[in-house]
Amino acid sequence: MISDQGKLVLDTDALTHSIIGCAFRVANELGSGFLEKVYENALRIELEAAGHEVKQQTPLVVRYHGETVGEYVADLLVDGQVLIELKSVQSISPAHYAQCKNYLAATELDVCLLLNFGPTKLEHKRILRNSLSD
């Protein structure tokens, strides 16, 4: 943990561990079967209670060769470091994984957590921008 202008900053491993813990608390309390927006709102509350800065439905610029080519809206951005892509589907598909990899490549952020609240047990996948396989 590093102090940055008086604010506690976690390394990405500790940060993703904290986020996943918050997601499990939401999943355990709400169970499965709700729309993504319900889990997004609940997870924001849980993350903020844990002391994280959370931006919800934040537009992020997509760049190509250094030029802006569009933007997409992230479900959640935590502490300016970790994208969270939320799903409420039966299972995570390769398309969901590819979506996260593309978001990371386009935004130049390093970590995305793919969280699926659809099944009876929370599915989570930590996806890294600079990794061939995660």
Side-chain angles (χ1 to χ4, degrees):
M1 294 186 210
I2 306 162
S3 177
D4 179 48
Q5 299 175 8
K7 182 180 176 187
L8 190 63
V9 178
L10 300 176
D11 64 47
T12 55
D13 285 342
L15 179 54
T16 56
H17 181 77
S18 176
I19 294 167
I20 292 167
C22 290
F24 270 108
R25 285 190 288 282
V26 169
N28 289 339
E29 187 163 332
L30 292 179
S32 61
F34 291 105
L35 295 174
E36 289 173 17
K37 191 64 173 177
V38 171
Y39 297 109
E40 179 185 316
N41 291 333
L43 185 55
R44 178 192 50 80
I45 292 166
E46 191 68 39
L47 288 164
E48 287 175 346
H52 297 290
E53 178 186 325
V54 182
K55 293 183 180 177
Q56 190 172 3
Q57 294 295 308
T58 301
L60 296 174
V61 173
V62 178
R63 300 187 189 286
Y64 179 78
H65 292 283
E67 293 187 44
T68 300
V69 293
E71 61 180 42
Y72 90 96
V73 178
D75 289 336
L76 298 170
L77 178 62
V78 180
D79 293 340
Q81 298 178 64
V82 176
L83 288 173
I84 298 179
E85 182 62 29
L86 293 170
K87 300 295 178 194
S88 183
V89 294
Q90 189 172 13
S91 64
I92 294 173
S93 75
H96 299 139
Y97 174 81
Q99 179 184 25
C100 290
K101 288 293 275 190
N102 289 338
Y103 289 167
L104 290 174
T107 61
E108 299 183 355
L109 291 169
D110 292 323
V111 182
C112 181
L113 285 178
L114 178 56
L115 303 174
N116 183 18
F117 290 89
T120 56
K121 183 180 177 198
L122 175 74
E123 284 183 299
H124 58 89
K125 179 77 175 161
R126 183 176 185 253
I127 300 162
L128 305 175
R129 177 169 56 107
N130 293 323
S131 176
L132 296 175
S133 63
D134 300 297

